[in-house]
Amino acid sequence: AVQLAESGGGSVQAGGSLSLSCTPSGIIYYGYCVAYFRQAPEKERDWVASVYAGDSKTYYSDSAKGRFTISRDKSTKTVSLEMNSLKPEDTAMYYCAVEIKRSYCPRRHQDFEHWGQGIQVTVSS
């Protein structure tokens, strides 16, 4: 079974940095997508960034572009999300997700079937 081990997150003041890590296990395919989503209280779960394991291509939402960096360590399969210049509006529960059936990275949370437990990120003003 696919499992995702998440770590990182925490609290920081606006302008600071935090990082998240996600290590998938139980995946036998060469190509799969690892994405980060976030969900603030009473809001939709929004896509943040993705990396496709097959070619290491990365994708960013408009809110993440220029501030966040997603990367994948090929040897450990760990995906990291480095978040810089954090804003209070980045405060949310962040989730790692994996999609193994497609040859590309979807952006809807409904298209991901495997999820981590979630990590809280809090940015104070």
Side-chain angles (χ1 to χ4, degrees):
V2 176
Q3 293 186 320
L4 304 176
E6 296 190 74
S7 63
S11 298
V12 70
Q13 288 192 325
S17 300
L18 288 171
S19 62
L20 303 174
S21 292
C22 174
T23 303
S25 60
I27 300 177
I28 62 172
Y29 305 102
Y30 173 74
Y32 56 91
C33 181
V34 182
Y36 272 99
F37 288 81
R38 67 186 184 186
Q39 188 168 20
E42 301 182 358
K43 292 195 174 181
E44 293 287 320
R45 187 168 295 192
D46 293 330
W47 170 70
V48 176
S50 303
V51 57
Y52 190 72
D55 56 17
S56 295
K57 284 188 176 179
T58 58
Y59 308 89
Y60 297 94
S61 65
D62 287 343
S63 62
K65 206 170 295 182
R67 299 188 300 129
F68 296 3
T69 302
I70 192 168
S71 60
R72 179 177 178 267
D73 185 313
K74 292 183 179 179
S75 61
T76 65
K77 300 182 181 179
T78 296
V79 172
S80 298
L81 183 69
E82 299 292 329
M83 303 181 290
N84 299 313
S85 302
L86 283 163
K87 306 173 183 179
E89 50 264 44
D90 294 316
T91 295
M93 187 73 78
Y94 283 69
Y95 296 90
C96 174
V98 164
E99 206 288 318
I100 61 176
K101 298 179 181 176
R102 295 173 172 82
S103 59
Y104 64 92
C105 277
R107 299 184 180 185
R108 303 188 317 154
H109 65 85
Q110 298 93 331
D111 292 330
F112 286 79
E113 62 267 21
H114 305 287
W115 292 86
Q117 79 277 10
I119 297 282
Q120 180 66 39
V121 169
T122 303
V123 184
S124 57
S125 57

